[in-house]
mmCIF file of all heavy atoms in Angstrom:
data_model
loop_
_atom_site.group_PDB
_atom_site.id
_atom_site.type_symbol
_atom_site.label_atom_id
_atom_site.label_comp_id
_atom_site.label_asym_id
_atom_site.label_seq_id
_atom_site.Cartn_x
_atom_site.Cartn_y
_atom_site.Cartn_z
ATOM 1 N N GLY A 318 9.547 1.426 25.846
ATOM 2 C CA GLY A 318 9.414 0.505 24.738
ATOM 3 C C GLY A 318 10.495 0.794 23.744
ATOM 4 O O GLY A 318 11.270 1.766 23.817
ATOM 5 N N ILE A 319 10.245 0.157 22.638
ATOM 6 C CA ILE A 319 11.184 0.498 21.448
ATOM 7 C C ILE A 319 10.278 1.284 20.370
ATOM 8 O O ILE A 319 9.165 0.912 20.031
ATOM 9 C CB ILE A 319 11.705 -0.765 20.780
ATOM 10 C CG1 ILE A 319 12.460 -1.537 21.919
ATOM 11 C CG2 ILE A 319 12.603 -0.477 19.647
ATOM 12 C CD1 ILE A 319 13.667 -0.850 22.522
ATOM 13 N N PHE A 320 10.821 2.467 19.956
ATOM 14 C CA PHE A 320 10.069 3.386 19.081
ATOM 15 C C PHE A 320 10.945 3.576 17.927
ATOM 16 O O PHE A 320 11.866 4.383 17.994
ATOM 17 C CB PHE A 320 9.778 4.630 19.758
ATOM 18 C CG PHE A 320 8.795 5.424 19.278
ATOM 19 C CD1 PHE A 320 7.401 5.195 19.229
ATOM 20 C CD2 PHE A 320 9.129 6.701 18.713
ATOM 21 C CE1 PHE A 320 6.498 6.027 18.701
ATOM 22 C CE2 PHE A 320 8.228 7.537 18.260
ATOM 23 C CZ PHE A 320 6.945 7.268 18.170
ATOM 24 N N PHE A 321 10.742 2.748 16.823
ATOM 25 C CA PHE A 321 11.535 2.906 15.551
ATOM 26 C C PHE A 321 13.062 2.717 15.986
ATOM 27 O O PHE A 321 13.866 3.509 15.482
ATOM 28 C CB PHE A 321 11.415 4.208 14.865
ATOM 29 C CG PHE A 321 10.327 4.319 13.872
ATOM 30 C CD1 PHE A 321 9.060 3.627 14.159
ATOM 31 C CD2 PHE A 321 10.380 4.884 12.634
ATOM 32 C CE1 PHE A 321 8.038 3.728 13.287
ATOM 33 C CE2 PHE A 321 9.408 4.970 11.711
ATOM 34 C CZ PHE A 321 8.159 4.213 11.996
ATOM 35 N N GLY A 322 13.310 1.867 16.872
ATOM 36 C CA GLY A 322 14.748 1.610 17.142
ATOM 37 C C GLY A 322 15.223 2.325 18.251
ATOM 38 O O GLY A 322 16.391 2.233 18.616
ATOM 39 N N HIS A 323 14.435 3.249 18.804
ATOM 40 C CA HIS A 323 14.886 4.242 19.846
ATOM 41 C C HIS A 323 14.157 3.797 21.099
ATOM 42 O O HIS A 323 12.925 3.433 21.102
ATOM 43 C CB HIS A 323 14.633 5.610 19.567
ATOM 44 C CG HIS A 323 15.391 6.166 18.457
ATOM 45 N ND1 HIS A 323 16.718 6.493 18.484
ATOM 46 C CD2 HIS A 323 15.071 6.268 17.068
ATOM 47 C CE1 HIS A 323 17.195 6.905 17.284
ATOM 48 N NE2 HIS A 323 16.199 6.725 16.416
ATOM 49 N N THR A 324 14.823 4.044 22.270
ATOM 50 C CA THR A 324 14.155 3.746 23.650
ATOM 51 C C THR A 324 13.170 4.874 23.889
ATOM 52 O O THR A 324 13.429 6.065 23.780
ATOM 53 C CB THR A 324 15.131 3.671 24.761
ATOM 54 O OG1 THR A 324 16.003 2.520 24.300
ATOM 55 C CG2 THR A 324 14.489 3.259 25.980
ATOM 56 N N VAL A 325 11.921 4.513 24.299
ATOM 57 C CA VAL A 325 10.838 5.543 24.664
ATOM 58 C C VAL A 325 10.357 5.268 25.958
ATOM 59 O O VAL A 325 9.968 4.236 26.355
ATOM 60 C CB VAL A 325 9.691 5.385 23.580
ATOM 61 C CG1 VAL A 325 8.541 6.398 23.721
ATOM 62 C CG2 VAL A 325 10.317 5.531 22.139
ATOM 63 N N ASN A 326 10.263 6.357 26.802
ATOM 64 C CA ASN A 326 9.311 6.373 27.935
ATOM 65 C C ASN A 326 8.032 6.922 27.691
ATOM 66 O O ASN A 326 7.947 8.052 27.273
ATOM 67 C CB ASN A 326 10.129 7.180 29.078
ATOM 68 C CG ASN A 326 11.373 6.552 29.449
ATOM 69 O OD1 ASN A 326 11.427 5.313 29.620
ATOM 70 N ND2 ASN A 326 12.425 7.426 29.725
ATOM 71 N N LEU A 327 6.973 6.216 27.987
ATOM 72 C CA LEU A 327 5.649 6.568 27.653
ATOM 73 C C LEU A 327 5.026 6.966 28.994
ATOM 74 O O LEU A 327 4.867 6.021 29.925
ATOM 75 C CB LEU A 327 4.788 5.567 27.041
ATOM 76 C CG LEU A 327 5.153 5.275 25.599
ATOM 77 C CD1 LEU A 327 4.354 4.192 25.092
ATOM 78 C CD2 LEU A 327 5.206 6.520 24.717
ATOM 79 N N LEU A 328 4.569 8.137 29.318
ATOM 80 C CA LEU A 328 4.029 8.591 30.613
ATOM 81 C C LEU A 328 2.528 9.096 30.260
ATOM 82 O O LEU A 328 2.132 9.579 29.300
ATOM 83 C CB LEU A 328 4.814 9.830 31.114
ATOM 84 C CG LEU A 328 6.202 9.631 31.282
ATOM 85 C CD1 LEU A 328 6.907 10.810 31.669
ATOM 86 C CD2 LEU A 328 6.591 8.443 32.179
ATOM 87 N N SER A 329 1.632 8.689 31.157
ATOM 88 C CA SER A 329 0.346 8.965 31.077
ATOM 89 C C SER A 329 0.113 10.468 30.780
ATOM 90 O O SER A 329 -0.795 10.796 29.951
ATOM 91 C CB SER A 329 -0.530 8.601 32.287
ATOM 92 O OG SER A 329 0.016 9.222 33.480
ATOM 93 N N ASP A 330 0.817 11.373 31.420
ATOM 94 C CA ASP A 330 0.503 12.792 31.079
ATOM 95 C C ASP A 330 1.099 13.195 29.664
ATOM 96 O O ASP A 330 0.637 14.132 29.066
ATOM 97 C CB ASP A 330 1.308 13.700 32.145
ATOM 98 C CG ASP A 330 2.738 13.491 32.326
ATOM 99 O OD1 ASP A 330 3.246 12.496 31.759
ATOM 100 O OD2 ASP A 330 3.357 14.445 32.946
ATOM 101 N N ASP A 331 2.131 12.361 29.265
ATOM 102 C CA ASP A 331 2.543 12.702 27.833
ATOM 103 C C ASP A 331 1.408 12.341 26.893
ATOM 104 O O ASP A 331 1.151 13.096 25.981
ATOM 105 C CB ASP A 331 3.783 11.833 27.525
ATOM 106 C CG ASP A 331 5.010 12.320 28.195
ATOM 107 O OD1 ASP A 331 5.231 13.538 28.293
ATOM 108 O OD2 ASP A 331 5.830 11.455 28.550
ATOM 109 N N LEU A 332 0.736 11.337 26.995
ATOM 110 C CA LEU A 332 -0.254 10.832 26.196
ATOM 111 C C LEU A 332 -1.398 11.815 26.188
ATOM 112 O O LEU A 332 -2.034 12.243 25.181
ATOM 113 C CB LEU A 332 -0.756 9.389 26.525
ATOM 114 C CG LEU A 332 0.120 8.336 26.078
ATOM 115 C CD1 LEU A 332 -0.077 6.963 26.852
ATOM 116 C CD2 LEU A 332 0.443 8.272 24.632
ATOM 117 N N SER A 333 -1.777 12.187 27.465
ATOM 118 C CA SER A 333 -2.960 13.118 27.535
ATOM 119 C C SER A 333 -2.628 14.467 27.025
ATOM 120 O O SER A 333 -3.596 15.183 26.590
ATOM 121 C CB SER A 333 -3.351 13.309 29.185
ATOM 122 O OG SER A 333 -2.216 13.904 29.873
ATOM 123 N N ALA A 334 -1.410 14.713 26.957
ATOM 124 C CA ALA A 334 -1.010 16.033 26.287
ATOM 125 C C ALA A 334 -0.796 15.917 24.777
ATOM 126 O O ALA A 334 -0.474 16.909 24.075
ATOM 127 C CB ALA A 334 0.356 16.467 26.886
ATOM 128 N N GLY A 335 -0.890 14.582 24.297
ATOM 129 C CA GLY A 335 -0.838 14.384 22.809
ATOM 130 C C GLY A 335 0.537 14.369 22.391
ATOM 131 O O GLY A 335 0.989 14.740 21.272
ATOM 132 N N ARG A 336 1.539 13.876 23.230
ATOM 133 C CA ARG A 336 2.909 13.820 22.855
ATOM 134 C C ARG A 336 3.536 12.506 23.387
ATOM 135 O O ARG A 336 2.940 11.911 24.373
ATOM 136 C CB ARG A 336 3.682 14.995 23.288
ATOM 137 C CG ARG A 336 3.927 15.125 24.883
ATOM 138 C CD ARG A 336 4.620 16.361 25.116
ATOM 139 N NE ARG A 336 4.823 16.455 26.577
ATOM 140 C CZ ARG A 336 3.990 17.021 27.464
ATOM 141 N NH1 ARG A 336 2.828 17.666 26.989
ATOM 142 N NH2 ARG A 336 4.337 17.169 28.731
ATOM 143 N N LEU A 337 4.691 12.170 22.947
ATOM 144 C CA LEU A 337 5.435 11.072 23.382
ATOM 145 C C LEU A 337 6.803 11.608 23.865
ATOM 146 O O LEU A 337 7.474 12.464 23.235
ATOM 147 C CB LEU A 337 5.782 10.063 22.197
ATOM 148 C CG LEU A 337 4.495 9.422 21.693
ATOM 149 C CD1 LEU A 337 4.932 8.520 20.420
ATOM 150 C CD2 LEU A 337 3.673 8.531 22.766
ATOM 151 N N ASN A 338 7.199 11.044 24.972
ATOM 152 C CA ASN A 338 8.511 11.490 25.695
ATOM 153 C C ASN A 338 9.553 10.458 25.265
ATOM 154 O O ASN A 338 9.484 9.395 25.681
ATOM 155 C CB ASN A 338 8.237 11.619 27.183
ATOM 156 C CG ASN A 338 9.542 12.004 27.850
ATOM 157 O OD1 ASN A 338 10.414 12.816 27.258
ATOM 158 N ND2 ASN A 338 9.729 11.608 29.099
ATOM 159 N N THR A 339 10.581 10.833 24.605
ATOM 160 C CA THR A 339 11.635 9.953 24.303
ATOM 161 C C THR A 339 12.939 10.334 24.886
ATOM 162 O O THR A 339 13.200 11.474 25.116
ATOM 163 C CB THR A 339 11.849 9.874 22.673
ATOM 164 O OG1 THR A 339 12.582 10.903 22.385
ATOM 165 C CG2 THR A 339 10.574 9.805 21.927
ATOM 166 N N GLN A 340 13.867 9.348 24.881
ATOM 167 C CA GLN A 340 15.212 9.694 25.519
ATOM 168 C C GLN A 340 16.008 10.492 24.569
ATOM 169 O O GLN A 340 17.112 10.923 24.928
ATOM 170 C CB GLN A 340 15.841 8.382 25.888
ATOM 171 C CG GLN A 340 15.314 7.666 27.101
ATOM 172 C CD GLN A 340 16.051 6.420 27.551
ATOM 173 O OE1 GLN A 340 17.047 6.135 26.918
ATOM 174 N NE2 GLN A 340 15.543 5.717 28.611
ATOM 175 N N ILE A 341 15.664 10.649 23.342
ATOM 176 C CA ILE A 341 16.435 11.407 22.445
ATOM 177 C C ILE A 341 15.974 12.880 22.371
ATOM 178 O O ILE A 341 16.415 13.676 21.701
ATOM 179 C CB ILE A 341 16.512 10.895 20.995
ATOM 180 C CG1 ILE A 341 15.009 10.764 20.502
ATOM 181 C CG2 ILE A 341 17.141 9.536 20.871
ATOM 182 C CD1 ILE A 341 14.919 10.232 18.962
ATOM 183 N N GLY A 342 15.002 13.129 23.215
ATOM 184 C CA GLY A 342 14.804 14.553 23.623
ATOM 185 C C GLY A 342 13.904 15.480 22.630
ATOM 186 O O GLY A 342 14.132 16.562 22.477
ATOM 187 N N THR A 343 12.959 14.740 22.082
ATOM 188 C CA THR A 343 12.056 15.398 21.155
ATOM 189 C C THR A 343 10.594 14.920 21.314
ATOM 190 O O THR A 343 10.412 13.764 21.648
ATOM 191 C CB THR A 343 12.486 15.349 19.660
ATOM 192 O OG1 THR A 343 11.664 16.107 18.771
ATOM 193 C CG2 THR A 343 12.403 13.891 19.170
ATOM 194 N N ASP A 344 9.684 15.742 20.994
ATOM 195 C CA ASP A 344 8.291 15.489 20.872
ATOM 196 C C ASP A 344 8.026 15.151 19.406
ATOM 197 O O ASP A 344 8.065 16.100 18.702
ATOM 198 C CB ASP A 344 7.328 16.398 21.423
ATOM 199 C CG ASP A 344 7.621 16.741 22.935
ATOM 200 O OD1 ASP A 344 7.931 15.710 23.711
ATOM 201 O OD2 ASP A 344 7.442 17.819 23.311
ATOM 202 N N MET A 345 7.589 13.864 19.153
ATOM 203 C CA MET A 345 7.343 13.523 17.637
ATOM 204 C C MET A 345 5.837 13.265 17.558
ATOM 205 O O MET A 345 5.375 12.275 17.983
ATOM 206 C CB MET A 345 8.204 12.398 17.266
ATOM 207 C CG MET A 345 8.149 12.081 15.723
ATOM 208 S SD MET A 345 8.817 13.371 14.699
ATOM 209 C CE MET A 345 10.624 13.158 14.893
ATOM 210 N N GLN A 346 5.157 14.049 16.733
ATOM 211 C CA GLN A 346 3.797 13.847 16.531
ATOM 212 C C GLN A 346 3.425 13.420 15.116
ATOM 213 O O GLN A 346 2.692 12.482 14.882
ATOM 214 C CB GLN A 346 2.913 15.088 16.931
ATOM 215 C CG GLN A 346 2.997 15.413 18.379
ATOM 216 C CD GLN A 346 2.133 16.663 18.810
ATOM 217 O OE1 GLN A 346 1.075 16.810 18.082
ATOM 218 N NE2 GLN A 346 2.465 17.448 19.699
ATOM 219 N N LYS A 347 4.081 14.097 14.228
ATOM 220 C CA LYS A 347 3.853 13.859 12.767
ATOM 221 C C LYS A 347 4.908 12.825 12.328
ATOM 222 O O LYS A 347 6.176 13.379 12.094
ATOM 223 C CB LYS A 347 3.674 15.142 11.958
ATOM 224 C CG LYS A 347 2.472 15.895 12.306
ATOM 225 C CD LYS A 347 2.275 17.138 11.445
ATOM 226 C CE LYS A 347 1.144 17.950 11.850
ATOM 227 N NZ LYS A 347 1.012 19.118 10.989
ATOM 228 N N ASN A 348 4.544 11.656 12.068
ATOM 229 C CA ASN A 348 5.603 10.648 11.905
ATOM 230 C C ASN A 348 5.923 10.346 10.431
ATOM 231 O O ASN A 348 7.098 10.526 10.118
ATOM 232 C CB ASN A 348 5.218 9.397 12.467
ATOM 233 C CG ASN A 348 6.169 8.306 12.627
ATOM 234 O OD1 ASN A 348 7.241 8.641 12.965
ATOM 235 N ND2 ASN A 348 5.822 7.072 12.379
ATOM 236 N N ILE A 349 4.978 10.104 9.678
ATOM 237 C CA ILE A 349 5.141 9.683 8.223
ATOM 238 C C ILE A 349 4.296 10.507 7.437
ATOM 239 O O ILE A 349 3.076 10.498 7.695
ATOM 240 C CB ILE A 349 4.847 8.289 7.975
ATOM 241 C CG1 ILE A 349 5.927 7.406 8.698
ATOM 242 C CG2 ILE A 349 4.951 8.015 6.474
ATOM 243 C CD1 ILE A 349 7.272 7.473 8.197
ATOM 244 N N ARG A 350 4.758 11.145 6.427
ATOM 245 C CA ARG A 350 3.901 11.887 5.383
ATOM 246 C C ARG A 350 3.597 10.861 4.264
ATOM 247 O O ARG A 350 4.565 10.441 3.486
ATOM 248 C CB ARG A 350 4.385 13.196 4.817
ATOM 249 C CG ARG A 350 3.483 13.734 3.852
ATOM 250 C CD ARG A 350 3.872 15.268 3.580
ATOM 251 N NE ARG A 350 3.458 16.091 4.795
ATOM 252 C CZ ARG A 350 3.491 17.378 4.824
ATOM 253 N NH1 ARG A 350 3.814 18.077 3.803
ATOM 254 N NH2 ARG A 350 2.983 18.031 5.963
ATOM 255 N N ALA A 351 2.349 10.471 4.011
ATOM 256 C CA ALA A 351 1.981 9.385 3.108
ATOM 257 C C ALA A 351 1.152 10.127 1.936
ATOM 258 O O ALA A 351 0.312 10.884 2.217
ATOM 259 C CB ALA A 351 1.215 8.318 3.816
ATOM 260 N N ALA A 352 1.347 9.519 0.847
ATOM 261 C CA ALA A 352 0.471 9.962 -0.381
ATOM 262 C C ALA A 352 -0.054 8.632 -1.050
ATOM 263 O O ALA A 352 0.565 7.734 -1.163
ATOM 264 C CB ALA A 352 1.278 10.794 -1.284
#
Side-chain angles (χ1 to χ4, degrees):
I319 301 301
F320 195 70
F321 272 41
H323 296 279
T324 302
V325 178
N326 292 321
L327 292 179
L328 306 176
S329 56
D330 59 345
D331 287 325
L332 290 167
S333 63
R336 65 180 184 272
L337 296 175
N338 178 30
T339 78
Q340 289 183 0
I341 56 175
T343 184
D344 296 330
M345 186 64 77
Q346 295 186 30
K347 294 182 179 178
N348 192 40
I349 297 289
R350 178 162 287 189

